[in-house]
Amino acid sequence: MAKKRIAVFISGRGSNFMFIHGEIEKGNIHGEIVVLISDNPDAGGLAYAGEKGIECRVFPWQVPRDRYFQDLMDFLEGKDIDLIVLAGFMRVLSANIIERYANRILNIHPALLPSFPGEEAQRQAFDHGVKFSGCTVHFVDGGVDTGPIIQQRVVPVLEDDDTETLAARILEQEHQLFPEVVRAFCNNQLEVVGRRVHVRE
Ligand code: GRF
């Protein structure tokens, strides 16, 4: 089985990208990050990718968005990408890219979906007063954080938590969960049946 060719999209810090790459380096994921794409020239992950010899492409955000994503798609076509990993990419993808890569785009969200979609999910959950939050990896569909859920990790909200401490403990779980799901994808273990995603042994 050929290694999956992965494009990772980021907008900022890039810690999830680094953890996924770390597992690839250890030989735990049957895939290769072919390119790192950022809409932000100052994204933290770019320097790391440079050090690791991963091709980086900055696509500075531009409107109209259809044109932006068409350019991005044309670029991806040339790279023969099997999987797109959204690791803190802060843009909603266009319909044509979602259709082209149906069930081949993963996103991580720092809450237990379908609760608290969208931005500042950790703050939304904390302010709502939940006792448990966590993170979700899901396939991307046309909505905001609405696609079929692949896997989740639960994180309890502690008595002396604030949004930042909760977010930090959720992030630790993200760093474990996202590489696990990428690994399962690369092993062809994920099967989507309607809204349910089965993880085959
Ligand atoms: C993470 O909290 C992720 O859940 C959300 O964006 C953040 C990205 O963090 N989608 P990083 O750039 O991977 O450090």
Side-chain angles (χ1 to χ4, degrees), residues 12-17 87-88 107-110 122 171 174-175:
R13 187 173 51 188
S15 68
N16 278 284
F17 152 64
N107 182 47
I108 189 154
H109 183 74
Q122 304 96 327
L171 190 63
E174 294 182 40
H175 291 159

Side-chain angles (χ1 to χ4, degrees), residues 56 64 73 77 87 114-115 130 157 160 182 189 195:
C56 300
M73 259 176 78
E77 286 299 321
S115 293
V130 297
V157 180
D160 56 357
V182 172
Q189 286 175 277
R195 280 209 56 92

Side-chain angles (χ1 to χ4, degrees), residues 3 18 27 36 39 44 47 50 57 70 76 109 113 115 131 145 147 174 181 186 191 195:
K3 279 188 183 173
M18 294 176 207
L36 177 71
D39 62 341
R57 279 299 171 102
Q70 190 57 54
L76 293 176
H109 183 74
L113 292 171
S115 293
K131 299 297 181 189
D145 303 320
E174 294 182 40
V181 174
C186 290
E191 186 189 351
R195 280 209 56 92

Side-chain angles (χ1 to χ4, degrees), residues 46-84:
L46 290 169
Y48 171 91
E51 283 164 23
K52 296 288 181 181
I54 299 168
E55 182 180 349
C56 300
R57 279 299 171 102
V58 177
F59 280 76
W61 178 244
Q62 277 174 21
V63 286
R65 60 193 299 280
D66 285 351
R67 179 68 223 215
Y68 178 86
F69 284 112
Q70 190 57 54
D71 288 349
L72 199 46
M73 259 176 78
D74 292 345
F75 174 77
L76 293 176
E77 286 299 321
K79 296 278 173 197
D80 197 17
I81 294 301
D82 299 306
L83 171 66
I84 295 175

